[in-house]
Amino acid sequence: MSRKAGDRRTELLSAETGTIRKKWAGRISVALTYPNYYRLGMSNLGFQTVYRLINDLEDVVCERVFLPEQSTKRRNSIRSLESGRPLVDFDIIAFSIAFENDYPHLLTILAEAGLPLWASERNTPHPLIIAGGVTSLLNPEPIAPFVNCFLIGEAEAILPAFFDVYKEHACKEDVLEALAREVPGTYVPALYRVSYAPDGTIAEFLPEDDFPARIQRPFVRDLSSCDTRSTILTPNTTFDNTCLIEAGRGCPHGCRFCAAGFVYRPPRFRSRTNLEKSLREAALRAKKIGLVAAAVSDVPDIASICRSALDANVQLSFSSLRADGLRPEFLEILNQTGVKTATIAPDGGSERMRRVINKGISEDTLLTAVEFLVRAGIPNIKLYFMVGLPTETMADVEAVVTLCKKVKHRFLKASRKRQKIGRITVSLNSFIPKPFTPFQWVPFEDINILKAKIKHVKDGLRRVANVQVHADIPRWAYIQALLSRGDRRTADLLVAAHENRGNWARILKESVLNPDFYVYRERSFDEVLPWDFIDHGIKKSYLISEYRKSLRAETTPPCAAGRCTACGVCKEDVFQGSASVL
């Protein structure tokens, strides 16, 4: 047994995983599958939470499955981590998919499990294939022909009802129809018919029979009512024996490019009492605790909460921060945590561009934040920017270079006082239009233009000492845009990618389906979009209004959850009695 295998066996025998020792007899067996490698899957707090939620059910046993680091191409070569059983032995194979780029891995896992790829070719003896995760909240259609059922909603609000209905039916067709009728958030693609217009756009998306025309997303109204933290601690993750705790879900700032800021509306935060309790309990398991939220600095009373944890000798880390949230008391907390690198995401280089995307951070705020961070003893700064944003010009791209140089000047000035100079890392990412955002109608930037913009930034910062520039590869961003915005016909491209071992250049060249139709085409406001059947409660008129405001470079104040009905998610009295909503 290899050292890594031995580490995992020790993990499996620990008290933390006692729930997996449940006998299979008489229980529903679920293979919770992350379509990527073990280290990434076990670093995903959502994956760990679903694992615990399913195992908490008395009559269900859940085991974990990950993409093998080396494909064997042998039938039944993929097995569960807990018992080593092949996937075909399970009643349900549940995929947790966080990124569109993992779609091809879903096909790899099905093939190596010895299962037909297409849902229409699997029958009752085969496991039921279900899928959830962030991508299901956005646009499940590119993988709809491979999946029997999607769970479109937050796991805490949908899993109990799902299994209550599942165990009442023996026939796969019966259970799928019952789920579609009785469990909000359940989407069964085979029960919906899609037709296309001569120009290739969707003409109709209709349910068969009397199934719901739109799938409503269930969500947790009071985040303090559930426990979202690491179920299993292991050194074989990105965070190395760190207990992750969700401090908030959703984001109030409404950046127009960010899908998470819309599909997780309303933004919710754990109450101080609940969060402090979670920290105390986590401290009994691990000395390192990571707080997870869209911006941890937004969490109410976060400085005093962290102060109590530090006084108990707990080592804290944070998933992300906002420049305008770095108040003096929080900077002192950062200093004590021993953080060596802080990440700030201006996203746009110019003030105009940041108004377009509704970032809500001025240049002065950003520069002051950098100076404060260095003074607080954090030597390294990461800056995230996007290129290819709507209305972006080369002047906006040049503004990225100018802003980075200003950051370097302020960074250097503060570092000299401490007699220690760190490093600035600039990350450039190609903007990808995402469903359920005000930018869902805009086209993806031409790859050659993106390359030119990235080169412009790299050339402009090449000779600036202590500044490194990293950029994504536009052609891979093109693939992600295709999978983010595709419809059911995109499934044929995924099968071709599976058969050609990911040779996308060949696939796109030989395909009878024009990928540019999905990537480079601007949508009209009245077009039926592949994801329009999902109801997150957000009015399309609100997204259109936000898009038009972006063209005028007008901003919108942060979301006032429970005190505003502008976007449509919050209804009157819906949050009465909830203490965790900002």
Side-chain angles (χ1 to χ4, degrees), residues 401-460:
V401 177
T402 302
L403 181 57
C404 289
K405 289 179 178 179
K406 289 180 179 179
V407 168
K408 169 62 187 301
H409 175 75
R410 194 73 67 95
F411 174 83
L412 191 61
K413 182 179 178 181
S415 298
R416 281 173 176 162
K417 292 181 180 179
R418 297 184 58 84
Q419 298 184 335
K420 185 176 181 180
I421 299 176
R423 182 172 297 278
I424 298 172
T425 302
V426 178
S427 177
L428 289 174
N429 299 281
S430 302
F431 163 70
I432 297 171
K434 290 286 187 175
F436 297 105
T437 68
F439 292 153
Q440 66 179 352
W441 294 279
V442 305
F444 180 73
E445 183 87 277
D446 182 88
I447 287 179
N448 292 325
I449 296 176
L450 288 171
K451 288 180 179 179
K453 290 179 175 180
I454 290 170
K455 182 177 185 298
H456 186 88
V457 174
K458 284 186 172 181
D459 289 347

Side-chain angles (χ1 to χ4, degrees), residues 104 107-108 491-504 507:
L107 300 187
T108 299
D492 291 329
L493 294 175
L494 286 168
V495 171
H498 171 71
E499 294 172 347
N500 288 276
R501 298 185 179 184
N503 186 347
W504 279 100
I507 294 161

Side-chain angles (χ1 to χ4, degrees), residues 236-425:
N236 300 309
T237 71
T238 304
F239 305 105
D240 185 19
N241 281 322
T242 298
C243 183
L244 302 179
I245 299 175
E246 183 185 45
R249 192 176 297 181
C251 179
H253 297 284
C255 296
R256 292 172 178 136
F257 59 85
C258 179
F262 289 90
V263 299
Y264 285 113
R265 288 194 174 200
R268 290 146 288 161
F269 300 98
R270 295 191 184 278
S271 68
R272 175 170 182 163
T273 301
N274 179 268
L275 195 50
E276 287 180 334
K277 178 176 179 289
S278 294
L279 283 165
R280 285 194 303 270
E281 293 175 351
L284 298 175
R285 301 172 54 204
K287 279 298 180 183
K288 293 189 288 186
I289 297 175
L291 294 179
V292 178
V296 176
S297 50
D298 285 333
V299 177
D301 300 319
I302 188 61
S304 57
I305 292 171
C306 292
R307 169 69 58 203
S308 299
L310 291 173
D311 289 344
N313 295 319
V314 172
Q315 184 179 339
L316 291 174
S317 60
F318 310 101
S319 61
S320 60
L321 306 169
R322 273 180 64 94
D324 56 357
L326 299 179
R327 294 172 289 275
E329 64 272 20
F330 194 72
L331 286 165
E332 185 180 346
I333 296 294
L334 288 176
N335 179 269
Q336 289 190 266
T337 61
V339 173
K340 299 301 180 185
T341 302
T343 300
I344 300 176
D347 292 308
S350 66
E351 293 277 13
R352 186 196 75 84
M353 200 72 253
R354 288 192 293 276
R355 290 196 304 272
V356 167
I357 63 177
N358 202 44
K359 185 65 186 181
I361 295 177
S362 68
E363 182 177 294
D364 287 343
T365 299
L366 173 66
L367 296 175
T368 300
V370 169
E371 185 173 350
F372 283 173
L373 287 167
V374 176
R375 286 181 181 177
I378 300 173
N380 304 308
I381 304 293
K382 285 186 178 180
L383 300 173
Y384 278 86
F385 293 94
M386 285 184 286
V387 290
L389 287 160
T391 78
E392 183 181 70
T393 67
M394 285 308 294
D396 296 309
V397 177
E398 174 61 24
V400 173
V401 177
T402 302
L403 181 57
C404 289
K405 289 179 178 179
K406 289 180 179 179
V407 168
K408 169 62 187 301
H409 175 75
R410 194 73 67 95
F411 174 83
L412 191 61
K413 182 179 178 181
S415 298
R416 281 173 176 162
K417 292 181 180 179
R418 297 184 58 84
Q419 298 184 335
K420 185 176 181 180
I421 299 176
R423 182 172 297 278
I424 298 172
T425 302

Side-chain angles (χ1 to χ4, degrees), residues 118-119 122 140-150 187 189-190 487-488 491:
W118 301 95
R122 296 191 296 268
E141 285 302 275
I143 56 172
F146 314 123
V147 176
N148 297 117
C149 173
F150 289 91
Y187 168 51
D487 54 35
R488 291 190 188 185

